[in-house]
Amino acid sequence: MSAPIDFYFDFSSPYGYLAAHKIEALAARHGRAVKWRPMLLGVAFKATGSGPLPSIPLKGDYAKRDFLRSARFHGVPFRLPEPFPVSTVAACRAFYSLKDEQEQVKLAKALLRAYFVDNVNIGEAGNVLKVAASVNCRPDIESQAVKDRTRAEVDAAIAKGVFGSPYIIIDGEPFWGVDRFDQIERWLKAPF
Amino acid sequence: MSAPIDFYFDFSSPYGYLAAHKIEALAARHGRAVKWRPMLLGVAFKATGSGPLPSIPLKGDYAKRDFLRSARFHGVPFRLPEPFPVSTVAACRAFYSLKDEQEQVKLAKALLRAYFVDNVNIGEAGNVLKVAASVNCRPDIESQAVKDRTRAEVDAAIAKGVFGSPYIIIDGEPFWGVDRFDQIERWLKAPF
């Protein structure tokens, strides 16, 4: 089996959420596993001098429309949460505090669903813990070790050039956006 | 026949160039004509606070790789021109100085090809005129009337929310990016 696909995303990113719905089937079609790697878009924005889409003139209005249309296009249940976006530090820490990879993925899916379907504000640490409890996860979001681990993971992502969400790396080749899944599909057949 | 598709692009935009290769066939499959509307990304960037992709940390390196890979993916001849990007004011004025729409499109295609295939610096007015002459166009890029017309077209684009290239508007619905052509294809069958 080839190396896993690295799947970087921010828990507050609608396009990351859409990608999360599709990445496993895509990878499985080509005999690949997926390594989920939540990161913090806010840290990436400091590197690129960018900011959250809704705050950008013209682009912000377009983005809200495109989130909804893209979700319909991909057949994924979605509502634009309120507030949006939110800090995803607590969500990230909860994820990285879990040792078991299947547990991590289960929690990630639950958090994304809570935010983008059930309108739960996962920017609040208390809500992160509630969502985790609902899927029988007991993450730690307070210990210094977990804070350090999370920071190291996010820094490592930036060092690999990750500046957006979703951001997929396959055998060193980077793809930004759920709208690159058509290129990823072809790449996994044969690099072009 | 339904209303034409509005196709906004900047002459210096690789993704706009790729879209220019595909938009007419896409529109024709659905009984639509295409209205070509060059604009100036530099003016849009003032509105959004953005800048040319190559100048953005992390994103710039990714973009160069993605330009080349996307061209291969779409089967379009492409090289990254040097210099890149360039001012496209002269190209825009040349386009809007022509009265005949078919002449405009012929010139647009020649300019895009000159820049992205033949590495001609279309940021220089003299080169714009040479490319135009090569396809038997005689644009005017100096008169105040043409300058005013160009400014009015670019301002009208921004007023319609155009902030990127390519940007396609179909019956009021906006689509940003050649990577929205899959959504456009479905939308033209039936809005979703």
Side-chain angles (χ1 to χ4, degrees):
Chain A
M1 194 157 170
S2 306
I5 291 174
D6 284 313
F7 171 45
Y8 295 90
F9 65 99
D10 183 293
F11 278 111
S12 185
S13 156
Y15 299 125
Y17 162 74
L18 297 182
H21 268 265
K22 305 189 62 143
I23 188 82
E24 288 179 325
L26 173 58
R29 281 196 289 279
H30 302 277
R32 300 274 192 143
V34 177
K35 181 75 180 167
W36 293 53
R37 296 185 179 281
M39 43 78 72
L40 298 171
L41 265 185
V43 177
F45 287 156
K46 278 180 198 159
T48 58
S50 189
L53 281 169
S55 67
I56 302 173
L58 301 182
K59 211 168 177 172
D61 287 339
Y62 173 82
K64 285 179 197 164
R65 188 169 189 146
D66 190 62
F67 296 155
L68 292 159
R69 190 180 59 211
S70 294
R72 295 194 301 273
F73 182 75
H74 290 294
V76 175
F78 173 83
R79 60 171 287 179
L80 191 62
E82 185 68 45
F84 171 80
V86 292
S87 162
T88 53
V89 174
C92 243
R93 287 176 181 163
F95 178 97
Y96 285 115
S97 78
L98 300 175
K99 302 284 177 274
D100 181 76
E101 207 172 314
Q102 286 183 314
E103 286 264 295
Q104 287 181 330
V105 174
K106 184 176 70 172
L107 175 61
K109 290 178 179 175
L111 286 168
L112 289 168
R113 180 174 181 86
Y115 190 49
F116 289 110
V117 178
D118 300 328
N119 199 33
V120 174
N121 181 356
I122 62 165
E124 293 180 10
N127 286 336
V128 169
L129 296 178
K130 275 184 211 161
V131 171
S134 76
V135 290
N136 298 311
C137 285
R138 298 284 176 274
D140 158 27
I141 56 175
E142 292 295 339
S143 79
Q144 192 59 45
V146 164
K147 291 177 182 175
D148 292 346
R149 166 83 193 281
T150 302
R151 169 172 288 267
E153 293 283 352
V154 173
D155 288 349
I158 307 287
K160 282 191 181 287
V162 176
F163 61 83
S165 167
Y167 196 96
I168 291 96
I169 303 181
I170 302 172
D171 306 333
E173 184 74 12
F175 298 86
W176 172 42
V178 67
D179 44 27
R180 285 295 173 280
F181 273 38
D182 51 357
Q183 293 195 24
I184 290 176
E185 186 92 53
R186 195 187 293 178
W187 191 273
L188 285 169
K189 284 182 205 152
F192 54 89
Chain B
M1 193 159 172
S2 307
I5 291 174
D6 285 313
F7 171 46
Y8 295 90
F9 65 99
D10 183 293
F11 279 111
S12 186
S13 156
Y15 300 125
Y17 163 74
L18 297 182
H21 267 266
K22 306 189 62 146
I23 189 84
E24 287 178 326
L26 172 58
R29 280 195 291 279
H30 302 277
R32 300 275 192 142
V34 177
K35 180 77 180 168
W36 293 53
R37 298 186 180 279
M39 44 77 73
L40 298 171
L41 265 185
V43 177
F45 288 157
K46 279 180 197 158
T48 57
S50 187
L53 280 169
S55 67
I56 302 173
L58 302 182
K59 211 169 179 174
D61 287 341
Y62 173 83
K64 285 179 196 164
R65 189 170 189 146
D66 189 63
F67 295 156
L68 292 158
R69 190 180 61 211
S70 294
R72 296 194 300 275
F73 181 75
H74 290 294
V76 174
F78 173 84
R79 60 171 288 178
L80 191 62
E82 186 67 44
F84 171 79
V86 292
S87 161
T88 52
V89 174
C92 243
R93 287 177 180 164
F95 178 97
Y96 284 115
S97 77
L98 299 175
K99 302 284 175 276
D100 182 77
E101 208 172 315
Q102 287 184 313
E103 287 264 295
Q104 287 182 330
V105 173
K106 184 176 71 172
L107 175 61
K109 290 178 179 175
L111 287 167
L112 289 168
R113 179 173 182 85
Y115 190 48
F116 290 109
V117 178
D118 301 327
N119 200 32
V120 173
N121 181 354
I122 61 165
E124 293 180 11
N127 286 336
V128 169
L129 296 177
K130 275 185 209 159
V131 171
S134 77
V135 292
N136 298 311
C137 285
R138 298 283 175 276
D140 159 27
I141 56 176
E142 291 296 340
S143 79
Q144 192 58 46
V146 164
K147 291 177 181 175
D148 292 346
R149 166 82 194 280
T150 302
R151 171 172 287 270
E153 293 284 352
V154 174
D155 288 349
I158 307 288
K160 280 189 182 290
V162 176
F163 60 83
S165 167
Y167 196 97
I168 291 95
I169 303 181
I170 301 172
D171 307 332
E173 184 74 12
F175 298 87
W176 172 42
V178 67
D179 43 26
R180 286 295 173 278
F181 273 38
D182 51 358
Q183 294 195 22
I184 290 176
E185 186 92 53
R186 195 188 293 179
W187 191 272
L188 285 169
K189 284 181 205 151
F192 55 89

